[in-house]
Amino acid sequence: MSSEEKKLHNTTTASAMEDGDVQIISSASSTSETNNSSNKSTSRESISTSSTGILRMRRKSSRASSGGSGDHPPMSNAESGRSASSPVDDDHPEKQNRKVCMLRGAMIVTLLTATVAVATLVYLYVTRDEERNFQTQYQDSVSKVAEAFQYGIDTKHDAASTFSAIYTSIYGNIVQEVENQKPVWPNATLPFFAEKAKDLLKISNGRALSFNPIITQDVNRLEWEAHATESAWLLGDKSLIVPPPDFTWPNNRTVSFGIYSRDADRNVVYDPGFAPGSIHTVLVPVWQIHPIKTNEKAVMFNLHSEKNRQRALDDMLEYEVPTLTAILQLVQDSETRPSSILFFPVFDNFETPEDFPVFDNVGMPIVNGTNVVGSISIVFSWDTLLQRILPNYIKGMICVLQSSTGQVYSYSVSGNDVTFLGEGDKHDPKYDKYKEVVQATLGNTAEQIGQVDYLITYTLVMYPSQTFENEYVTNRAGIYTAGVVLIFLCTSALFLLYDYLVEDRQQKTARFARQSANIVDAMFPAGFRERLYKSHQNNNSNSGSKANSRRSSDNDEATIKASNRTNGENRSRSQSPSRRRSSTMGRKIVTLQIDKFMKGTRSAPKDHIPTNYSNGDDDKPIADLFLDTSIMFADIVGFTKWSTERSPNEVFTLLERLFWEFDELAAQHNVFKLGTIGDCYIAVTGIPNPIEDHASLLTQFSFAAREKVREVCAQLDAEGLDTLKLDMRFGIHSGAITAGILRGTKSRFELFGDTINTASRMESTSVGGKIQVSAETAELIKLDRRGKWLVKRDGMITAKGKGELQTYWAEPNPVGSRVSFSDEAIDHLPDDDFNKLESQESDRYYQHEYDKQEEKEGLSADEKV
């Protein structure tokens, strides 16, 4: 070392020590020594980069201290400016990373905020929508119930009014005076009462309808009882005249007994003629009633003697308006069933206007006046007013029936059904805000007499129930909200996964770029580096523009050929041993035109036939090589002789029915029908899309086809075609074929290759009812773990152009010797051993196929490379 170099070295070392870089330099030197002994490229590159950086720093420091002396030129202003600038610019990776992290955080916060906001909006919207639907359905149900409730009261009122008018029109005083007859009240008995009452009772939906005369104890009781005894035969029940001999008291009581009531002990007694607590000393016995059956013992019972009925009758007599009794429990009902009676007054005259007087038969005016002489009563149960008014989807409507006497009963209405809940108000208090009330009215009673507190009135109060609400307010809001949250969470997870993958890829790319940049930095100065980059870009663009047009016509064909050869060589090496023999190796491009043609395009216009191939790939033949296929030929044994004895219709009946069944089986087994030649059916698997188990799949198709042959022959023989003597033989071979569309006025899909010839030989050397497969197909079946299907054929067969071949019979349940000593153990091999065996067999098979293809094409050594 010269004195000047020593001086420069000492100056550089001192400068480095002054800057505090001595420790870094020694660490770099130590690391560099360790790097020389290491074999790992990554550590060597990173340490070399550090050492190079330290050495560069030392070099720059020396040049700075020496004022630019030495072998290296002084730094440019730009370089020195970059070295001196300490702040990090906008393009610095650390700052970019911080921006990315901030953006990532903002995106996550945005997604979470959007999740919460959308989920809340969805929950509120669905909840409010269900609540609105619930209230709408409830209000609609309230309207239906209120309307039906009042309608039920009105029909009963109108039916009783009509029947009352019938009595007045027949037995009224005016009618009697016009006919010069004395008034008959209360001795009125209507003939054919049941026929007149049944329709009105049905319309009113009541349980019983009766006429009840008003009797006065000291005026006309005895006279009426005598009339009742004489007219009992009009009631429609003989037991009321002559009791059956086996009846005992009080069941043997007849009309002649007179008007009766019950004492405090509920015993039948002759009514005393007055009712304690009533302002009206009258008797109101039940006289004519429908239906008489089940109600015959009510005849002659004094309704005015019973407390609940007495109040309603007193109101009717006092105000001459229809009235309702309090809620009763009828003797016919074994279970609690709230019921009531509607009493409608029967008048002795119709009220006529004063402007239109009525005259008797001698021309004297009849004095107009009305008095209550009887009543029409309709017995009904309150639940009948709530039946068949709501649609079936309405469930759990609570109806509380309240009377002015303080009686309260509750019902649940669900569609057409009404359920009695019990006495008292049974609604849920949390639904009080939905309370709806309807007041029952009897005709124009309020207009006639005004508001009278004493009359018994009824109110129906309606509420929804939990059952009703559950039909409309469901957990749908929670489900939708959970769905929205799940969607956003999945979106966030996908975003994070995508971000992670992108970040990981970027980091790998950045590491590779840094390593490459370090290598380039070490090899080229900065100025030469930039020029080198620009020169490389210009060369690429110029050479690419010139070569694109030259290579456009040959590139695809060369790629396909190279791919076929490369995939053939690397087939067994690149693929795993688990069933890769029918993958896309050997076919980089599956021709789309072939697939479209096999789906239905069978011809091309004449002007489309190519005359030269100068227009690029569009006019080149549509063809490709398929390495992994299986071909089946199936021929009917005895068909030629049979067809000569049959009519054309019978021949085509056999072929059409048989091959139609084959076509359906082909669709089920993913087998492509190539076509038919006479009575020969040809099918293929592995075209146009690769199939892993193409040999086994075609063998399974053959099994099913053979069964169909026997089935169809049996059916046709039963029809008189004598087809039981016919059978079919099958032949299958596997290998590579060339497939393509032979274009012309009638384009056809054609297969070429020795595989087809061998498959035809398999069929011609087979026997009826048998499926013969070649050794190549048998090997593929064994690789599919279906070697149990195979039975080696005794002896070798002689095939035209092939010589002697060893073949196998394929049977789903074979009887006889197995194929080889290894087949029995194949199904019981562990997966690792099976994969190893399969890999070896597959390698040998594909290497053999590729060698045959090379030999056939005559590829040179250069072409192989």
Side-chain angles (χ1 to χ4, degrees), residues 647-852:
S647 66
N649 287 338
E650 292 176 332
V651 172
F652 272 80
T653 296
L654 169 65
L655 294 178
E656 284 186 350
R657 189 176 300 187
L658 181 60
F659 290 161
W660 182 271
E661 296 288 350
F662 280 19
D663 291 346
E664 290 188 346
L665 290 175
Q668 296 172 8
H669 288 78
N670 196 19
V671 173
F672 175 69
K673 172 188 176 182
L674 184 62
T676 60
I677 304 176
D679 61 324
C680 182
Y681 191 94
I682 309 172
V684 59
T685 52
I687 296 177
N689 299 317
I691 302 175
E692 290 187 0
D693 53 346
H694 56 88
S696 299
L697 188 63
L698 193 57
T699 305
Q700 287 178 319
F701 169 75
S702 301
F703 293 155
R706 183 174 59 180
E707 295 302 321
K708 282 296 179 184
V709 171
R710 296 167 181 170
E711 179 181 331
V712 170
C713 287
Q715 294 174 356
L716 294 178
D717 187 77
E719 298 175 10
L721 268 65
D722 191 23
T723 53
L724 280 182
K725 59 186 178 182
L726 300 180
D727 211 335
M728 183 166 271
R729 62 191 179 203
F730 299 81
I732 304 175
H733 180 60
S734 302
I737 63 170
T738 297
I741 299 174
L742 195 60
R743 294 176 291 188
T745 56
K746 291 187 178 180
S747 301
R748 295 185 61 185
F749 179 71
E750 297 287 356
L751 304 181
F752 301 94
D754 188 61
T755 301
I756 299 176
N757 298 331
T758 306
S760 178
R761 302 296 184 271
M762 292 297 104
E763 176 270 322
S764 62
T765 57
S766 182
V767 297
K770 288 288 189 177
I771 302 171
Q772 182 173 232
V773 299
S774 65
E776 289 80 358
T777 303
E779 287 298 322
L780 295 177
I781 293 175
K782 288 193 294 180
L783 289 177
D784 289 334
R785 290 191 174 186
R786 287 168 176 148
K788 59 185 178 181
W789 288 353
L790 303 173
V791 177
K792 184 183 293 185
R793 183 170 182 174
D794 296 336
M796 309 281 282
I797 66 168
T798 301
K800 181 180 178 181
K802 300 296 178 182
E804 292 188 346
L805 298 174
Q806 177 62 60
T807 61
Y808 300 82
W809 299 122
E811 294 291 343
N813 298 301
V815 178
S817 61
R818 302 298 294 270
V819 173
S820 65
F821 71 93
S822 62
D823 282 343
E824 279 188 11
I826 260 185
D827 291 340
H828 303 286
L829 283 176
D831 289 342
D832 293 340
D833 295 340
F834 173 76
N835 292 336
K836 186 183 299 182
L837 173 63
E838 184 182 39
S839 176
Q840 295 171 358
E841 294 290 339
S842 180
D843 291 346
R844 286 196 296 270
Y845 171 74
Y846 287 112
Q847 186 62 45
H848 174 68
E849 289 293 329
Y850 181 69
D851 291 342
K852 288 198 303 182

Side-chain angles (χ1 to χ4, degrees), residues 217 221 259 261 269-274 283:
Q217 171 70 19
R221 175 175 180 172
I259 301 173
S261 59
V269 297
Y270 185 74
D271 190 89
F274 64 93
L283 298 89

Side-chain angles (χ1 to χ4, degrees), residues 478-518:
I479 294 175
Y480 287 178
T481 303
V484 170
V485 172
L486 183 62
I487 291 173
F488 273 92
L489 290 179
C490 292
T491 304
S492 302
L494 289 175
F495 167 75
L496 294 176
L497 178 61
Y498 174 78
D499 181 73
Y500 168 78
L501 295 176
V502 171
E503 180 70 18
D504 183 66
R505 180 180 177 182
Q506 289 178 345
Q507 289 179 359
K508 291 179 180 178
T509 305
R511 284 196 299 269
F512 180 78
R514 284 195 298 270
Q515 293 173 2
S516 301
N518 290 335

